[in-house]
């Protein structure tokens, strides 16, 4: 599999990452999301990483890029479901995902996006 | 007591995924807790990427270690690339000669119990890391 499916729900795009991504899958996801934000005029992107056992600096950079790209395209990004061990590791690695909004689970992530979109 | 378990090539980004999965499997087998496991796999992923991106590819050797009642896992990343010219600079957070974030080497060092680096300009680089239960 070389692409991660992106689900469209109203103004939201939902992505659930369930595979250990090699670089090309990560880069494809970045491109696909950027294109779909523009195509569907999406206002929000929710990325569920609860299945990811590790986030290294490459994946971390991809997440930051997606958040930055969507901001430029007038969409908000929330990353949800990070495992506690992944959070501990990321901070020790020196990666704090500045500028990326996070929530503990999908429900809380959707709450953040709904509130943000009402403004 | 040591025994060499396995050698894997690091020649493509798919190899990094395979290496991560093997590290995970052996870390679970050794009995690492989830945080230790996650740290070690992440460190391995960073170093495997360095081997590929800066060393032009190389090999990863796995060794299972036993010390008293502690179990450990040793990973050796080896390449015959250009080597590291200035180790002090390379071991600085945020410094990179590539397109990354400059966290690979220093970050990996922080995530593991033991870290050892050998490099010679024009000959290559060898980095070994150990994690204990």
């Amino acid at each position: 599999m070389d692409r991660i499916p992106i689900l469209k729900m109203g103004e939201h795009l939902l992505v659930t990452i369930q595979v250990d991504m090699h670089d090309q899958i990560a880069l494809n996801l970045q491109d696909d999301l950027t294109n779909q934000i523009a195509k569907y005029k999406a206002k929000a992107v929710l990325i569920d990483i609860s299945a990811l056992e590790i986030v290294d600096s490459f994946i971390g950079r991809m997440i930051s890029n997606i958040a930055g790209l969507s901001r430029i395209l007038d969409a908000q990004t929330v990353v949800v479901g990070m495992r506690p061990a992944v959070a501990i590791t990321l901070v020790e690695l020196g990666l704090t995902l500045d500028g990326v909004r996070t929530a503990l689970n999908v429900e809380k992530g959707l709450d953040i996006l709904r509130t943000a979109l009402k403004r | 007591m040591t025994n060499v378990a396995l050698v894997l090539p690091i020649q493509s980004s798919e190899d990094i995924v395979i290496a991560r999965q093997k590290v995970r499997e052996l870390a679970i087998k050794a009995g690492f807790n989830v945080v230790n496991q996650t740290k070690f796999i992440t460190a391995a992923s960073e170093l495997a990427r360095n081997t590929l991106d800066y060393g032009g590819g190389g090999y990863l050797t796995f060794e299972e270690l036993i010390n008293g009642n502690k179990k450990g896992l040793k990973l050796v990343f080896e390449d015959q690339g250009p080597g590291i010219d200035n180790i002090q600079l390379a071991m600085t957070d945020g410094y990179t000669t590539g397109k990354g974030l400059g966290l690979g080497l220093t970050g990996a060092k922080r995530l593991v119990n033991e870290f050892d680096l050998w490099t010679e300009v024009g000959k290559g680089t060898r980095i070994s890391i150990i994690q204990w239960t």
Side-chain angles (χ1 to χ4, degrees):
Chain A
M1 194 183 88
D2 274 341
R3 294 204 123 73
I4 290 170
I6 299 171
L7 304 179
K8 181 181 169 296
M9 268 181 63
E11 291 181 303
H12 296 24
L13 297 179
L14 303 184
V15 180
T16 301
I17 302 174
Q18 289 186 325
V19 290
D20 193 350
M21 293 186 286
H22 61 73
D23 298 4
Q24 197 53 49
I25 299 186
L27 296 173
N28 286 347
L29 177 63
Q30 202 172 300
D31 287 355
D32 291 351
L33 262 177
T34 313
N35 288 329
Q36 296 210 15
I37 290 169
K39 183 176 168 192
Y40 296 121
K41 301 181 176 61
K43 285 289 175 194
V45 177
L46 188 135
I47 304 174
D48 176 16
I49 60 166
S50 57
L52 284 191
E53 287 176 336
I54 71 140
V55 172
D56 63 3
S57 62
F58 186 85
I59 302 298
R61 185 156 49 118
M62 179 207 75
I63 291 172
S64 293
N65 282 352
I66 288 174
L69 282 165
S70 58
R71 195 177 309 123
I72 293 169
L73 293 171
D74 193 27
Q76 318 241 5
T77 305
V78 178
V79 173
V80 306
M82 185 183 291
R83 297 182 181 195
V86 170
I88 292 168
T89 303
L90 269 185
V91 171
E92 213 153 312
L93 190 61
L95 212 66
T96 45
L97 299 184
D98 290 338
V100 180
R101 303 186 75 172
T102 56
L104 286 179
N105 55 41
V106 174
E107 270 186 322
K108 287 184 198 280
L110 286 174
D111 281 349
I112 289 179
L113 292 176
R114 277 194 206 103
T115 313
L117 292 184
K118 265 187 218 144
R119 270 188 215 132
Chain B
M1 193 186 110
T2 70
N3 66 76
V4 173
L6 185 71
V7 180
L8 286 181
I10 307 286
Q11 300 291 350
S12 70
S13 117
E14 284 85 355
D15 287 343
I16 298 178
V17 175
I18 293 167
R20 278 205 295 256
Q21 285 162 356
K22 194 71 200 171
V23 175
R24 178 175 177 272
E25 184 190 318
L26 293 175
I28 291 172
K29 190 179 153 205
F32 291 0
N33 67 30
V34 176
V35 172
N36 250 350
Q37 230 179 76
T38 308
K39 285 183 181 179
F40 200 54
I41 302 168
T42 306
S45 188
E46 299 295 333
L47 295 176
R49 185 172 306 285
N50 281 356
T51 299
L52 182 64
D53 289 353
Y54 300 106
Y59 290 90
L60 165 57
T61 308
F62 296 78
E63 263 179 64
E64 295 175 290
L65 310 176
I66 295 173
N67 185 357
N69 51 11
K70 283 199 304 184
K71 279 189 176 176
L73 200 54
K74 179 179 182 180
L75 307 180
V76 183
F77 298 84
E78 228 169 338
D79 67 61
Q80 269 139 36
I84 302 170
D85 190 22
N86 188 332
I87 297 179
Q88 219 176 351
L89 205 52
M91 291 303 293
T92 308
D93 263 336
Y95 176 81
T96 179
T97 57
K99 52 186 166 28
L101 299 168
L103 293 173
L105 270 185
T106 47
K109 189 178 178 184
R110 279 194 293 269
L111 292 173
V112 299
N113 295 142
E114 293 175 40
F115 179 99
D116 186 59
L117 186 157
W118 172 91
T119 184
E120 201 174 321
V121 174
K123 291 211 166 150
T125 301
R126 185 174 63 232
I127 295 173
S128 66
I129 54 174
I130 299 178
Q131 197 86 319
W132 295 101
T133 47

